[in-house]
Amino acid sequence: MSKTPENQPSDAEKPSSVPSDTINDAQVDERDRSNRDAIALPFHVAGSGTLDRLIDTARDYAKATTAEDTDKAYAADWKHFARWCRLKGTDPLPLSTEMIGLYLTDLAAPTNGSPALSVSTIDRRLSGLAWNYAQRGFTLDRKDRHIATVLAGIKRKHARPPVQKEAILPEDILAMIGTLGFDLRGLRDRAILLIGYAGWLRRSEIVSLDVGKDDTPDSGGWIEILEESAVLTLNAKTGWREVEISRGSSEQTCPVHALEQWLHFAKIDFGPVFTRTSRDGKKALDTRLSDKHVARLIKSTVLKSDIRAELPEKERIALFSGHSLRAGLASSAEVDERYVQKQLGHSSAEMTRRYQRRRDRFRVNLTKAAGL
């Protein structure tokens, strides 16, 4: 039997491989070098202790403009482009829109036999290059004809509808939490699934929560448990927003009760809400969980339950991800679309509809309304 997420080590037990650490360190170093180059005193200004401290603070602010995962991706994009340039006998600096156009072409139709990248990945690679050039004092104009025309042709020829993960529906989430035990680790994972599902949260939002405001420097929000609900204040992708999660009809499936049980038995009253546990699952540690734990948890509980059991194991794993939680309630809640949009924190209804996997598309008949 192939190795699956359910028999892989937990986040607390999973060892870090040396190559992965080396790559991550290199990406962080690249990001730090970019910040050091971008934030500095003008040549004609003499340095001082006060100015040096301001520069350090400014660099910290500059680092906070993008998420760490985004920074790592942008660093990897630059590394890949720089290597491609070396293989072609050129250099990534100074900026050459002609070479970038050829690079995009090679990503879409590789000449070395490697698989072609998707249009969305190519577009993201271009965004990474634009960011990296900006840190080095260059402006990458995406509308330049050497880039815009090539990218438009790639999109026209290779674009495909986005591949969406399956939504986790009410019967699915009940089956998933039914696979969890009632030890400390089980209480934690049950709270993660129910809070993530009821709050329509991203996996990064789930693990970034603190018990109180400003408990930790890396906090992404905090919780307030009230008599009828829990209120989550989140620093999300679109800015600060509040998410209210009401109590359920049964303690067994109530997300607020599950959260209270985890916090009580784990004895957590400060700092990260969701932390790692000891190997025996009997003690909560201080370390915040990684958002990757949420993805692994979803896949492992799907496998342990009978969800889509008619499919091979590999296909079942591939169907679900962290976004499946967020899409689940959006697809199941029988409420006006504007309430779903507000809860998800979307600026447009079109984005919300991407999460509604089985919405009633013809609830409003515009054809009849137009008199036809």
Side-chain angles (χ1 to χ4, degrees):
M1 181 176 177
S2 61
K3 199 169 186 179
T4 66
E6 68 183 71
N7 53 32
Q8 288 180 355
S10 69
D11 207 49
E13 303 164 8
K14 197 170 184 179
S16 299
S17 63
V18 174
S20 176
D21 288 346
T22 303
I23 292 172
N24 287 340
D25 289 345
Q27 291 171 342
V28 171
D29 289 344
E30 173 67 25
R31 186 175 72 247
D32 289 343
R33 281 196 299 272
S34 295
N35 284 317
R36 285 196 296 272
D37 294 341
I39 309 296
L41 279 175
F43 291 112
H44 64 277
V45 177
S48 68
T50 302
L51 288 175
D52 289 343
R53 285 192 294 273
L54 284 175
I55 290 173
D56 289 339
T57 303
R59 286 173 178 167
D60 288 339
Y61 282 137
K63 277 200 257 183
T65 57
T66 53
E68 185 177 351
D69 286 346
T70 303
D71 290 337
K72 289 178 179 178
Y74 285 171
D77 292 339
W78 182 259
K79 184 178 179 181
H80 186 274
F81 177 62
R83 182 176 181 275
W84 181 88
C85 286
R86 287 194 299 272
L87 291 174
K88 304 304 178 187
T90 184
D91 194 86
L93 294 172
L95 170 62
S96 167
T97 55
E98 293 89 344
M99 290 306 298
I100 291 176
L102 294 177
Y103 174 65
L104 299 180
T105 302
D106 203 19
L107 295 179
T111 55
N112 60 357
S114 58
L117 297 185
S118 67
V119 172
S120 59
T121 302
I122 293 173
D123 206 35
R124 193 199 60 73
R125 284 273 179 94
L126 183 58
S127 297
L129 293 184
W131 183 91
N132 276 285
Y133 274 117
Q135 307 314 303
R136 291 162 173 82
F138 296 91
T139 300
L140 192 157
D141 182 9
R142 293 177 63 120
K143 295 182 180 179
D144 181 280
R145 63 188 180 90
H146 297 99
I147 297 174
T149 55
V150 169
L151 189 59
I154 291 172
K155 289 181 177 180
R156 184 176 179 84
K157 189 171 183 179
H158 300 295
R160 298 288 184 273
V163 178
Q164 294 183 318
K165 295 296 184 179
E166 287 280 317
I168 292 173
L169 303 177
E171 58 272 21
D172 299 331
I173 196 70
L174 295 180
M176 290 164 68
I177 64 174
T179 67
L180 299 171
F182 289 90
D183 59 352
L184 206 54
R185 189 174 294 159
L187 292 177
R188 180 199 64 192
D189 290 345
R190 184 175 284 101
I192 287 174
L193 290 176
L194 289 173
I195 287 291
Y197 184 79
W200 304 353
L201 304 180
R202 300 176 179 89
R203 65 187 195 183
S204 59
E205 293 172 342
I206 298 172
V207 299
S208 68
L209 285 169
D210 277 1
V211 176
K213 183 180 179 182
D214 299 328
D215 278 358
T216 64
D218 61 340
S219 169
W222 64 93
I223 62 172
E224 182 181 5
I225 299 179
L226 307 176
E227 184 176 347
E228 296 296 328
S229 66
V231 178
L232 279 54
T233 304
L234 298 168
N235 187 8
K237 290 172 68 175
T238 54
W240 287 98
R241 66 188 178 98
E242 277 192 356
V243 173
E244 183 173 337
I245 300 177
S246 301
R247 292 186 183 271
S249 56
S250 166
E251 284 192 349
Q252 284 71 33
T253 59
C254 173
V256 182
H257 179 73
L259 179 60
E260 289 175 322
Q261 290 289 98
W262 158 247
L263 293 175
H264 172 73
F265 288 103
K267 299 178 181 177
I268 295 176
D269 55 12
F270 181 86
V273 171
F274 295 113
T275 65
R276 298 181 181 183
T277 61
S278 57
R279 288 180 180 272
D280 59 10
K282 296 181 179 179
K283 180 182 178 182
L285 306 178
D286 296 330
T287 311
R288 186 188 302 276
L289 274 179
S290 161
D291 65 335
K292 294 177 182 177
H293 173 82
V294 180
R296 288 198 296 267
L297 173 62
I298 290 169
K299 291 178 182 294
S300 65
T301 51
V302 164
L303 283 181
K304 290 177 184 176
S305 67
D306 59 356
I307 300 171
R308 306 299 296 271
E310 73 279 5
L311 297 176
E313 186 177 283
K314 189 175 181 180
E315 290 184 28
R316 293 175 69 197
I317 294 175
L319 281 176
F320 297 92
S321 72
H323 257 59
S324 298
L325 277 183
R326 192 161 159 80
L329 208 61
S331 301
S332 305
E334 295 292 334
V335 295
D336 192 284
E337 189 177 77
R338 67 179 184 273
Y339 297 114
V340 179
Q341 181 180 339
K342 181 177 183 295
Q343 185 83 341
L344 289 172
H346 289 153
S347 57
S348 70
E350 185 58 38
M351 178 59 72
T352 300
R353 292 187 187 113
R354 296 182 189 179
Y355 286 79
Q356 295 174 301
R357 304 288 196 265
R358 63 174 194 183
R359 61 189 172 89
D360 185 354
R361 298 175 183 272
F362 306 107
R363 184 177 299 171
V364 177
N365 191 323
L366 294 178
T367 305
K368 289 183 178 179
L372 299 178

